[in-house]
């Protein structure tokens, strides 16, 4: 056609794939089998209440135990799961497995354990999210008020009408919803009051330089103040140091999550993590 159009022969070359692209392609093809081969693993990271010091919840964080490459972190395969659409199936698996792990843990301690599950944009915009979640909860017998779903600002504002409908359905179900990585997106707090939400998770980029960084300090302080005025709880992500913890406590931050308390650990270590207490760490 090129010849016919221009009278000259053009040839189009697909540029040779570089090593990184080939690597990604290989990883992507492995990813198609990962679920059936039981290669996904959920790690859990505790969230502690600032006032009581006790662990009140666990965030489920996906890992991929690759047979040759070892344990792969989410940043290296979640984008591939999203591109391929596999995230919908895998996300549903995470939800079920996290509920099952929490149930098993509760059976041991006889204490309720809340779990937070990250959602991808595809899952959130699917339309039948609330129905799917309801089905999983009923099937497993997990209490809706012990489940929290984490979404991002971007997901919320992508399609305001769909978001509102989904969030209202989740609220009727009794599931908590929090905004993850808060402050890194483009959603104003004024927007947030229109939706039935429960908590904001302040992104760790605002936490890492507390309290020395004065603009971060101001942002975190203002966020906590406004969130509380809007009836939202606040979780600080990525708390690594005692000084950060003290500062956040002074500001009235409700919960903390971060390496200071614990790194994410496999389900087998849930029992040890639920027993952690901020008071023991000072
Ligand atoms: P996220 O939901 O914001 O999770 C918090 C991330 O911060 C986790 O990284 C956690 O290990 C890390 N983190 C926690 N405390 C600290 C700390 O004190 N210091 C530092 N430097 N990092 C800390 P991870 O596990 O690598 O997960 C990365 C992201 O992958 C998550 O960010 C989430 O967006 C996504 N993700 C993880 N699991 C799932 C999943 O099941 N589904 C979906 N859709 N996304 C997931
Ligand atoms: Mg999260
Ligand atoms: Mg986050
Ligand atoms: Mg994130």
């Amino acid at each position: 056609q090129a010849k016919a159009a221009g009278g000259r022969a053009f040839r189009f070359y697909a540029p040779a794939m570089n090593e990184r692209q080939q690597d990604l392609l290989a990883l992507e093809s492995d990813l198609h089998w990962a679920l059936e081969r039981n290669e996904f693993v959920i790690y859990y990271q505790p969230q502690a209440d600032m006032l009581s010091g006790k662990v009140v919840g666990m965030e489920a964080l996906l890992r991929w135990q690759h047979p040759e490459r070892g344990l792969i972190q989410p940043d290296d395969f979640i984008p591939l799961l999203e591109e391929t659409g596999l995230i919908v199936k895998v996300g549903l698996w995470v939800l079920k497995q996290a509920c099952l792990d929490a149930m098993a843990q509760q059976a041991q301690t006889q204490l309720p354990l809340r779990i937070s599950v990250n959602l991808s944009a595809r899952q959130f915009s699917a339309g039948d999210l609330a129905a799917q979640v309801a089905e999983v909860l009923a099937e497993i017998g997990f209490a809706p008020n012990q489940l929290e779903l984490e979404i991002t600002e971007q997901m919320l504002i992508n399609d305001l009408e769909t978001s509102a409908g989904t969030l209202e359905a989740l609220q009727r179900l009794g599931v908590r919803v929090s905004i993850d990585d808060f402050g890194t997106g483009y959603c104003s707090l004024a927007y947030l009051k229109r939706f039935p939400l429960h908590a904001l998770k302040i992104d760790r980029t605002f936490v890492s330089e507390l309290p020395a960084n004065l603009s971060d300090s101001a942002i975190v302080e203002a966020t906590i103040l406004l969130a509380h005025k809007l009836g939202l709880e606040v979780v600080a992500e990525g708390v690594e140091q005692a000084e950060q913890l003290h500062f956040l406590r002074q500001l009235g931050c409700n919960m903390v999550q971060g390496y200071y308390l614990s790194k994410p650990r496999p389900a087998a270590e849930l029992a040890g993590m639920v027993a952690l207490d901020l008071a023991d760490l000072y």
Side-chain angles (χ1 to χ4, degrees):
Q1 292 87 331
K3 210 170 194 169
R8 248 181 83 195
F10 290 102
R11 288 171 78 184
F12 297 96
Y13 291 96
M17 277 198 293
N18 64 34
E19 240 173 82
R20 184 177 148 69
Q21 287 169 319
Q22 278 179 7
D23 200 52
L24 272 178
L25 216 59
L27 205 62
E28 188 184 306
S29 81
D30 290 347
L31 208 47
H32 283 93
W33 301 99
L35 195 58
E36 286 160 59
R37 291 179 179 161
N38 274 314
E39 291 169 358
F40 288 116
V41 187
I42 303 178
Y43 274 43
Y44 292 92
Q45 188 180 36
Q47 291 174 357
D49 180 82
M50 278 283 201
L51 291 179
S52 69
K54 307 277 188 234
V55 170
V56 288
M58 295 281 171
E59 178 171 5
L61 294 160
L62 189 60
R63 306 284 184 261
W64 178 16
Q65 186 66 59
H66 190 281
E68 287 113 37
R69 300 176 195 230
L71 196 67
I72 308 182
Q73 301 297 313
D75 290 343
D76 294 327
F77 68 89
I78 297 241
L80 290 175
L81 283 178
E82 276 166 355
E83 272 168 42
T84 53
L86 289 165
I87 190 70
V88 176
K89 252 179 139 179
V90 175
L92 191 62
W93 177 83
V94 172
L95 178 66
K96 278 188 192 169
Q97 192 57 48
C99 290
L100 287 170
D101 288 343
M103 291 275 282
Q105 177 52 40
Q106 285 176 168
Q108 278 183 38
T109 53
Q110 301 297 325
L111 291 170
L113 178 64
R114 183 165 76 211
I115 50 151
S116 304
V117 173
N118 292 284
L119 293 185
S120 82
R122 284 208 198 215
Q123 290 174 281
F124 186 67
S125 63
D128 61 344
L129 175 70
Q132 280 211 14
V133 171
E135 208 179 297
V136 169
L137 292 173
E139 181 189 321
I140 295 176
F142 195 68
N145 63 3
Q146 284 169 239
L147 176 65
E148 177 174 80
L149 299 175
E150 297 190 3
I151 60 173
T152 61
E153 293 162 88
Q154 197 51 54
M155 284 155 67
L156 202 63
I157 61 174
N158 252 351
D159 178 349
L160 291 172
E161 236 167 83
T162 310
S163 295
T166 301
L167 291 173
E168 278 152 22
L170 288 171
Q171 187 183 40
R172 281 194 296 275
L173 197 60
V175 167
R176 281 171 62 100
V177 177
S178 65
I179 304 296
D180 204 357
D181 307 334
F182 188 76
T184 61
Y186 299 98
C187 192
S188 75
L189 278 165
Y191 245 146
L192 296 183
K193 74 171 182 193
R194 295 178 26 184
F195 298 109
L197 299 165
H198 299 80
L200 296 186
K201 300 188 74 177
I202 298 181
D203 191 71
R204 72 177 143 90
T205 53
F206 300 106
V207 173
S208 63
E209 291 173 29
L210 292 182
N213 185 314
L214 297 182
S215 37
D216 287 349
S217 298
I219 290 167
V220 169
E221 181 175 2
T223 303
I224 293 173
L225 257 160
L226 273 161
H228 284 168
K229 293 258 183 222
L230 295 175
L232 299 167
E233 292 185 311
V234 181
V235 184
E237 295 191 287
V239 175
E240 295 183 355
Q241 293 154 13
E243 304 81 72
Q244 295 164 349
L245 189 75
H246 295 315
F247 185 74
L248 288 160
R249 176 187 315 233
Q250 277 172 17
L251 297 181
C253 181
N254 305 88
M255 283 164 275
V256 286
Q257 181 180 344
Y259 294 172
Y260 184 75
L261 183 64
S262 172
K263 287 198 170 182
R265 308 290 308 157
E269 294 176 40
L270 274 173
M273 287 193 287
V274 293
L276 290 170
D277 194 318
L278 285 177
D280 301 331
L281 299 170
Y282 291 138

